[in-house]
Amino acid sequence: MIIWLASYPKSGNTWVRALLTSVLHSGDGNCNFNNLSLIEQYPKKKHYEGLVKNFKDFNNIKQAWEVSQKKINIDKKLKIIKTHHVNCKIDNFPFTNKNNTLGVIHIVRDPRNVITSIKNHYSKDDYLEALKFITDEKKVISSNQSQDAITLISSWKTNYISWKAVNKNYLLIKYEDLLSNLEMEVIKIINYLKKFNQFEFDENKIKKAISSSSFDDFKKMEKEGLFKEIVYNKKTGEKKNFFHLGPNNDWRKFLNDDIRKKIEENFKNEMEELGYL
């Protein structure tokens, strides 16, 4: 069964993956980006093997969601899987269901900070372009990685609402809480996973994972070529930093009043619910 590590892009998913793989899959707890693949991403083309002929045909893809997840779950083992996909239902085809999903760890970040990371990561010319991105209900993404399949992320609002609706083993993690009290949030995630009696945790490994997973650590490892999920400028093709601003991404420094107001107007109810307004 799948536990989704779900988030809108640029909300801290890689950070949480690094922490969890350090605790679950390393010998000493030290962060090692080589372990990130042990919490794999969905969807990838391999998940649709034998099910989808045209990877650009979304009508074909949506029909493969359930069957492809059944294939993932065929060994009946518990798996943590990353996704940015909206938890939608299109033409009676749900992205996932209770037969395939055990629960969700849902990572959320203030959209006023998400927009700056989106602008950088997806090479948008300005904040108006980035605003269109995060408010686009039909937004799909794909990476430069040939093995990745297109992912329907929708808008920040719809993505958040869709995963919040999961009423089975749901855990909300806010990026801002990771910044302010990382240890408490990691323990919260670990206690969540302990419910499933599939995981064993070593306190020393947990402490080491936390101490070796700072933003500065990540920047250093990326500079040394240890981070394999490489990002390229969408316009020039040049390599760029995945880890851009991190804790220094503060909307008060970067957003003008017009962009800020538009974000707050578009996402008012959800931001109030999350305590961002």
Side-chain angles (χ1 to χ4, degrees), residues 121 142-148 230-234 237-238:
H121 188 86
S142 59
S143 75
N144 295 315
Q145 307 285 338
S146 61
Q147 70 268 28
D148 287 355
I230 300 170
V231 178
Y232 296 93
N233 187 299
K234 308 296 182 189
E238 295 177 350

Side-chain angles (χ1 to χ4, degrees), residues 156-199:
W156 178 91
K157 171 181 176 177
T158 297
N159 194 291
Y160 164 66
I161 291 173
S162 74
W163 284 106
K164 183 190 73 169
V166 174
N167 54 17
K168 178 184 178 185
N169 297 325
Y170 174 84
L171 177 66
L172 176 67
I173 297 293
K174 292 168 65 176
Y175 180 90
E176 295 74 21
D177 293 336
L178 291 169
L179 287 177
S180 63
N181 197 332
L182 182 57
E183 183 175 359
M184 185 172 74
E185 295 305 299
V186 171
I187 290 171
K188 187 187 298 184
I189 295 171
I190 287 170
N191 286 336
Y192 169 88
L193 293 174
K194 279 181 178 178
K195 296 190 301 182
F196 307 110
N197 299 318
Q198 297 278 340
F199 300 101

Side-chain angles (χ1 to χ4, degrees), residues 3 5 20 24 38-40 78-82 193 199:
I3 294 177
L5 192 61
L20 287 179
L24 296 172
L38 297 174
I39 295 181
E40 69 172 335
L78 192 149
K79 302 172 184 69
I80 303 172
I81 296 181
K82 164 195 171 178
L193 293 174
F199 300 101

Side-chain angles (χ1 to χ4, degrees), residues 218-241:
F218 291 169
K219 290 276 285 185
K220 181 181 177 183
M221 287 187 279
E222 181 178 27
K223 188 176 181 180
E224 292 172 352
L226 301 176
F227 184 69
K228 306 304 181 185
E229 297 177 16
I230 300 170
V231 178
Y232 296 93
N233 187 299
K234 308 296 182 189
K235 296 180 175 64
T236 67
E238 295 177 350
K239 184 179 175 181
K240 62 196 294 185
N241 290 333

Side-chain angles (χ1 to χ4, degrees), residues 1-227:
M1 292 284 280
I2 297 169
I3 294 177
W4 296 105
L5 192 61
S7 72
Y8 192 78
K10 309 312 296 179
S11 297
N13 203 307
T14 299
W15 190 5
V16 175
R17 265 199 307 155
L19 286 161
L20 287 179
T21 53
S22 297
V23 173
L24 296 172
H25 301 296
S26 72
D28 56 8
N30 273 312
C31 178
N32 185 338
F33 282 148
N34 289 329
N35 290 330
L36 284 179
S37 61
L38 297 174
I39 295 181
E40 69 172 335
Q41 176 181 315
Y42 179 95
K44 287 185 175 289
K45 289 180 180 177
K46 68 175 185 177
H47 298 128
Y48 298 145
E49 188 175 343
L51 303 173
V52 171
K53 293 181 179 179
N54 182 359
F55 288 99
K56 295 182 180 179
D57 181 359
F58 197 76
N59 286 321
N60 195 191
I61 287 173
K62 71 188 180 188
Q63 297 176 47
W65 288 334
E66 182 178 5
V67 180
S68 65
Q69 290 172 32
K70 280 184 179 179
K71 287 173 65 178
I72 290 172
N73 285 323
I74 200 165
D75 62 4
K76 298 182 179 180
K77 293 181 179 179
L78 192 149
K79 302 172 184 69
I80 303 172
I81 296 181
K82 164 195 171 178
T83 193
H84 293 313
H85 209 290
V86 64
N87 186 22
C88 58
K89 187 175 185 179
I90 301 177
D91 300 329
N92 269 340
F93 295 103
F95 172 71
T96 191
N97 55 35
K98 291 181 179 179
N99 293 326
N100 288 313
T101 292
L102 180 60
V104 57
I105 301 169
H106 187 192
I107 310 164
V108 177
R109 187 183 191 184
D110 189 330
R112 292 170 297 187
N113 289 330
V114 168
I115 192 172
T116 296
S117 291
I118 290 291
K119 178 177 176 291
N120 173 71
H121 188 86
Y122 292 99
S123 307
K124 300 303 176 185
D125 288 334
D126 53 39
Y127 277 102
L128 280 175
E129 267 195 36
L131 181 66
K132 289 178 183 177
F133 184 110
I134 68 172
T135 56
D136 185 352
E137 297 297 338
K138 296 181 179 180
K139 188 65 185 176
V140 298
I141 58 172
S142 59
S143 75
N144 295 315
Q145 307 285 338
S146 61
Q147 70 268 28
D148 287 355
I150 61 171
T151 299
L152 174 63
I153 62 170
S154 191
S155 68
W156 178 91
K157 171 181 176 177
T158 297
N159 194 291
Y160 164 66
I161 291 173
S162 74
W163 284 106
K164 183 190 73 169
V166 174
N167 54 17
K168 178 184 178 185
N169 297 325
Y170 174 84
L171 177 66
L172 176 67
I173 297 293
K174 292 168 65 176
Y175 180 90
E176 295 74 21
D177 293 336
L178 291 169
L179 287 177
S180 63
N181 197 332
L182 182 57
E183 183 175 359
M184 185 172 74
E185 295 305 299
V186 171
I187 290 171
K188 187 187 298 184
I189 295 171
I190 287 170
N191 286 336
Y192 169 88
L193 293 174
K194 279 181 178 178
K195 296 190 301 182
F196 307 110
N197 299 318
Q198 297 278 340
F199 300 101
E200 294 183 4
F201 299 96
D202 180 284
E203 287 189 13
N204 291 326
K205 284 178 68 177
I206 294 169
K207 291 177 180 177
K208 194 65 179 177
I210 292 169
S211 67
S212 64
S213 299
S214 72
F215 184 74
D216 288 341
D217 290 326
F218 291 169
K219 290 276 285 185
K220 181 181 177 183
M221 287 187 279
E222 181 178 27
K223 188 176 181 180
E224 292 172 352
L226 301 176
F227 184 69

